[in-house]
Amino acid sequence: MVTFQPRLTGIFTPSPEAIDELTARKYNRDFKGRAPRLPQEVHAGEAEKLVQLQKEANFSLISDGQYSWGDLLRPVYAGMQGVEIGSQTRWFEVNGFVFPPKVVGKPKEAERSIMPNYVSPSIMGSNGEVTLVGPYTIFRMLENEAKVPSAMIKYAFINQFRQVASGLSPNVMLFEFCEPALSYDIKHQLPGSEIREVLGFAKEVYQVSALAVPRTARTLLQLPDGDFNELWEYVRDLHVDGFGVDLTETVSPSPTISLEGKILSAGVLNASSSVPENLAFSARRVRAAIESWHPDTVYVTTNAQLFHTISYEPAVAKVK
């Protein structure tokens, strides 16, 4: 019997009040007649509100909103030797920007995982979830200023992803990799040989991460902005427990795909639109995917993170 659970993915949209308070602190201004709080205090307050919202909506997996991250990339390479914050870069199909890694010397993994600095297990409780950028997207976006051989970069990032996974709290039950670059490359017809070369590196990352995550955690590969029917041949053998599928792009689920024993994270709500969904239509999309692919667990969520896309009130409506 298939089980259904609602969940969030990635960074959540901050409230207007949080944005105003962070802006006031940045420019050394008062906020509502007082000194603005530290950023970590503002982020913690936002996380507590979001956790309460999820509990009221009967979510069993809980996200802290990942407010302090800035983007999904920086926590992945933070602390690495020979790697710095790179140039501001557009985050694929949305109007937001991110900071990919810039290789400035011989890269080496961080001495210890910095994930405890970014995740709030005390706020999430015992059923937390975390989304971060995946290895394919990291490799496609990084800037190799030092002209380091790609094999050396891949080796360092394999070890870095192991460090990240091993540093997750035992409270984290779902560890999601977001790979928008793969959908982007297929849409823009990058040669299959180039895609598979980078996927070879990604496959090693998924294998070591699966071994390093807490014993109770499951791993998920999210594929926003892409047709899963076209992506399947590239991802079917990757070592993950399930897939985040963009059901706004995947209109007719292919019967040749099987997700038996796997998770389907059904991205059926459009993260780029504030217009309320037709819930009956969305439910039909999810049912069609289940009938074709036969997953054992189904999460219902947005097709991508809500950060960078829509404002706070419509984002809250998506949760509900």
Side-chain angles (χ1 to χ4, degrees), residues 109-125:
E109 72 275 12
E111 293 184 0
R112 60 180 179 82
S113 175
I114 49 75
M115 287 306 291
N117 299 339
Y118 286 96
V119 179
S120 309
S122 61
I123 296 175
M124 291 189 296

Side-chain angles (χ1 to χ4, degrees), residues 231-262:
L231 291 159
W232 177 243
E233 66 170 296
Y234 294 99
V235 302
R236 60 187 301 169
D237 296 326
L238 296 180
H239 197 105
V240 290
D241 294 312
F243 297 93
V245 178
D246 188 337
L247 288 182
T248 70
E249 294 275 349
T250 310
V251 178
S252 300
S254 170
T256 62
I257 294 172
S258 173
L259 294 183
E260 289 189 19
K262 296 278 190 181

Side-chain angles (χ1 to χ4, degrees), residues 172-228:
V172 173
M173 307 301 289
L174 187 70
F175 185 39
E176 179 179 55
F177 297 94
C178 179
E179 293 283 24
L182 182 56
S183 303
Y184 183 89
D185 285 346
I186 290 172
K187 273 186 179 180
H188 291 81
Q189 300 181 333
L190 189 75
S193 58
E194 293 184 36
I195 293 173
R196 293 188 187 282
E197 180 182 351
V198 181
L199 275 174
F201 152 68
K203 186 174 184 178
E204 288 190 63
V205 169
Y206 290 128
Q207 287 173 334
V208 300
S209 297
L211 294 173
V213 295
R215 183 177 52 83
T216 53
R218 303 184 77 183
T219 55
L220 191 68
L221 170 56
Q222 185 202 40
L223 299 159
D225 302 314
D227 185 334
F228 192 58

Side-chain angles (χ1 to χ4, degrees), residues 23 41 62 69 76 95 113 126 146 166 177 194 196 217 221 256 262 269 300 312:
T23 302
E41 294 173 325
I62 301 295
W69 289 41
V76 175
N95 290 324
S113 175
S126 59
S166 66
F177 297 94
E194 293 184 36
R196 293 188 187 282
L221 170 56
T256 62
K262 296 278 190 181
L269 305 179
V300 180
Y312 182 70

Side-chain angles (χ1 to χ4, degrees), residues 3-281:
T3 60
F4 293 85
Q5 301 175 52
R7 62 172 293 259
L8 295 178
T9 178
I11 303 173
F12 196 76
T13 306
S15 69
E17 185 172 283
I19 294 172
D20 289 347
E21 186 167 3
L22 292 169
T23 302
R25 184 170 184 86
K26 180 179 179 180
Y27 293 104
N28 198 28
R29 299 196 298 254
D30 281 354
F31 176 73
K32 294 186 175 181
R34 60 170 172 82
R37 292 174 295 172
L38 295 170
Q40 55 266 37
E41 294 173 325
V42 176
H43 296 149
E46 290 291 282
E48 288 171 358
K49 287 194 300 183
L50 181 61
V51 167
Q52 184 60 34
L53 177 64
Q54 291 168 89
K55 289 179 177 178
E56 291 171 357
N58 296 316
F59 280 47
S60 55
L61 286 172
I62 301 295
S63 167
D64 66 0
Q66 302 182 202
Y67 292 105
S68 63
W69 289 41
D71 60 46
L72 295 179
L73 286 82
R74 278 175 281 179
V76 175
Y77 63 86
M80 291 185 73
Q81 298 176 28
V83 179
E84 297 179 353
I85 296 175
S87 306
Q88 189 178 59
T89 305
R90 183 176 294 278
W91 182 242
F92 297 97
E93 308 291 351
V94 301
N95 290 324
F97 294 87
V98 298
F99 291 87
K102 178 168 68 176
V103 179
V104 295
K106 182 180 178 180
K108 189 177 187 299
E109 72 275 12
E111 293 184 0
R112 60 180 179 82
S113 175
I114 49 75
M115 287 306 291
N117 299 339
Y118 286 96
V119 179
S120 309
S122 61
I123 296 175
M124 291 189 296
S126 59
N127 292 298
E129 64 162 313
V130 172
T131 303
L132 73 163
V133 74
Y136 184 96
T137 300
I138 275 279
F139 193 80
R140 292 286 291 138
M141 294 189 76
L142 69 80
E143 305 167 27
N144 188 5
E145 184 180 271
K147 302 294 188 292
V148 174
S150 63
M152 186 179 294
I153 295 173
K154 290 174 182 177
Y155 179 76
F157 271 95
I158 288 170
N159 290 331
Q160 178 70 3
F161 271 98
R162 181 190 290 112
Q163 285 277 52
V164 169
S166 66
L168 287 172
S169 164
N171 295 34
V172 173
M173 307 301 289
L174 187 70
F175 185 39
E176 179 179 55
F177 297 94
C178 179
E179 293 283 24
L182 182 56
S183 303
Y184 183 89
D185 285 346
I186 290 172
K187 273 186 179 180
H188 291 81
Q189 300 181 333
L190 189 75
S193 58
E194 293 184 36
I195 293 173
R196 293 188 187 282
E197 180 182 351
V198 181
L199 275 174
F201 152 68
K203 186 174 184 178
E204 288 190 63
V205 169
Y206 290 128
Q207 287 173 334
V208 300
S209 297
L211 294 173
V213 295
R215 183 177 52 83
T216 53
R218 303 184 77 183
T219 55
L220 191 68
L221 170 56
Q222 185 202 40
L223 299 159
D225 302 314
D227 185 334
F228 192 58
N229 297 325
E230 298 176 2
L231 291 159
W232 177 243
E233 66 170 296
Y234 294 99
V235 302
R236 60 187 301 169
D237 296 326
L238 296 180
H239 197 105
V240 290
D241 294 312
F243 297 93
V245 178
D246 188 337
L247 288 182
T248 70
E249 294 275 349
T250 310
V251 178
S252 300
S254 170
T256 62
I257 294 172
S258 173
L259 294 183
E260 289 189 19
K262 296 278 190 181
I263 299 168
L264 166 63
S265 185
V268 72
L269 305 179
N270 190 350
S272 298
S273 173
S274 298
V275 177
E277 264 81 15
N278 179 321
L279 297 184
F281 177 78

